[in-house]
Amino acid sequence: MKRVMNMLNILLVYTSMAGNTEEMADTIADTLKKHKDINLTFMDIIDEEPENLSQYDGILIGSYT
């Protein structure tokens, strides 16, 4: 990921069984996308590799119970 000056690189990952967590993650992503100083990466946790996590300034994780 290319670093953008003055922007926060945020990763929002989730996992969902019934779709409720995915719906909440979608809502959070929609809100974060409205902020011009946030570069958001949004994906199912299965699709992200642990070695890539250091490139983010913040990580939000959503999971079912």
Side-chain angles (χ1 to χ4, degrees):
M1 170 183 293
K2 187 175 182 180
R3 184 102 172 116
V4 179
M5 296 301 288
N6 299 325
M7 291 188 76
L8 291 174
N9 287 316
I10 303 295
L11 172 64
L12 171 55
V13 291
Y14 69 92
T15 186
S16 186
M17 286 185 73
N20 296 324
T21 305
E22 182 176 9
E23 186 176 323
M24 290 182 70
D26 284 335
T27 301
I28 293 168
D30 289 343
T31 300
L32 291 173
K33 288 176 185 175
K34 294 176 184 176
H35 294 273
K36 62 181 179 183
D37 58 341
I38 293 177
N39 181 35
L40 179 66
T41 302
F42 175 57
M43 67 179 67
D44 190 304
I45 200 163
I46 301 291
D47 298 327
E48 184 57 276
E49 298 295 329
E51 58 269 9
N52 295 334
L53 298 179
S54 65
Q55 67 187 351
Y56 299 102
D57 299 309
I59 300 172
L60 302 169
I61 302 170
S63 178
Y64 53 89
T65 57

